[in-house]
Structures are given as C-alpha cells and as structure tokens.
Amino acid sequence: MTDKKQDTKLESEGAEFLVLGHLLIEGISAYKAYVNFPGYDLTAVEPETNKTARIQVKSRWATDYDKSFPLKNLDCDFVVHVALNRGYRFRKKGKGDENEIQPPDFYIFPIDIISTARNEKGWNKVNIRKVDALDFYLNNWKLIKDFLK
C-alpha cells in the first residue's frame, strides 16, 4: 500500500457496531448515537440504577499500527479502542508466521486511565503502550458493567 491516507470510514463505522454488539452480548443495554456527538459514539444504560456510560470508539485498521490513536475529546466515560487487524499497511509483510488479517482486539479503558497515556501536544495521540497492565483492559467489558451498577 502507499503512504496516501487510507479512507477507513466504513471500517470505523463497523468498529462502532462491533463494540455495540459486544456490549449487547455481554448483557449491557446500549445504543448507537446516530447524531454526531463530539465526545462519544455509544451509550450504555442500566435502567434499574438509572446510570449511563458514554463510550467513545477509536479504531485502527492496520495489523501493524503503532499502538496509538488520536483522542481530542475527553467528554466520555470510556474509550473502547478496537485494533481491527485488517492487514499490513506500514511494512510489506508480516514477520514470521503472522497472518495478515487477525481477529479484532478490544481494549476497554476508563477515561481517567486513557487520559494519562495521552500526549497533550499536536494530535493528542494516545499510545496504549504507556498504559500500565495493558492486558487487564483487553476484552474487559466488566469495567463498563461495574460502572453501571
């Protein structure tokens, strides 16, 4: 692929629906914000406690991305980062026996955790490598469940 900016609008919309689907499968009532709210894409709700969680979805298309993404707006409760793993964009081939396309990875970050890994300059990029105990947040949908209790 070239260095030309890749159009990933469909994939980013798909990432939002993937996260919505996972929330529903986990038994968390949620819906997509179909109007453009600057700080969040999804809302999770718990009718019994009358609590809501505003969720911003950030995705990356490439399997070999640099483990970072821009995050300008912090007006949400969680950021779910989806590594879509759709192929290699930044090098010609994977290393060794790696497959080019892999299943997506979902990182569920409370906003206070992710804001500490955010660079306050330029693109306001978040580098998830700066998050302590990163594996704890991988597929940890319980964080949102507990928030809604």
Side-chain angles (χ1 to χ4, degrees):
M1 295 192 165
T2 66
D3 288 344
K4 181 182 167 195
K5 184 167 171 36
Q6 185 176 4
D7 182 1
T8 57
K9 287 179 187 172
L10 284 176
E11 290 86 348
S12 63
E13 281 291 319
E16 289 178 17
F17 281 103
L18 279 171
V19 171
L20 178 59
H22 276 276
L23 289 166
L24 296 173
I25 289 168
E26 292 293 327
I28 301 169
S29 295
Y31 58 90
K32 186 172 178 352
Y34 285 98
V35 223
N36 189 13
F37 291 100
Y40 59 98
D41 305 298
L42 305 171
T43 304
V45 297
E46 177 49 69
E48 291 182 18
T49 61
N50 203 28
K51 291 187 178 178
T52 62
R54 296 164 303 153
I55 302 165
Q56 189 170 163
V57 177
K58 291 294 186 177
S59 62
R60 283 290 171 254
W61 180 90
T63 304
D64 61 341
Y65 79 111
D66 66 355
K67 306 300 183 225
S68 70
F69 57 89
L71 181 65
K72 293 179 186 172
N73 194 319
L74 301 176
D75 191 21
C76 60
D77 301 301
F78 290 90
V79 172
V80 177
H81 172 56
V82 185
L84 292 170
N85 297 322
R86 297 292 84 199
Y88 293 102
R89 176 160 170 78
F90 302 103
R91 61 177 184 249
K92 293 187 182 194
K93 293 182 182 177
K95 295 178 182 175
D97 294 326
E98 289 181 40
N99 291 324
E100 183 172 330
I101 296 176
Q102 300 170 12
D105 294 319
F106 298 88
Y107 293 92
I108 296 83
F109 296 113
I111 193 61
D112 58 333
I113 297 296
I114 205 67
S115 63
T116 61
R118 182 173 172 247
N119 184 349
E120 295 294 328
K121 297 176 184 173
W123 285 74
N124 299 115
K125 276 192 149 188
V126 171
N127 186 333
I128 65 171
R129 289 185 185 123
K130 292 182 179 178
V131 174
D132 290 333
L134 181 61
D135 287 342
F136 173 77
Y137 301 98
L138 183 63
N139 297 313
N140 194 346
W141 302 101
K142 188 175 182 310
L143 293 169
I144 296 174
K145 279 184 180 179
D146 290 348
F147 180 85
L148 293 171
K149 286 184 181 176

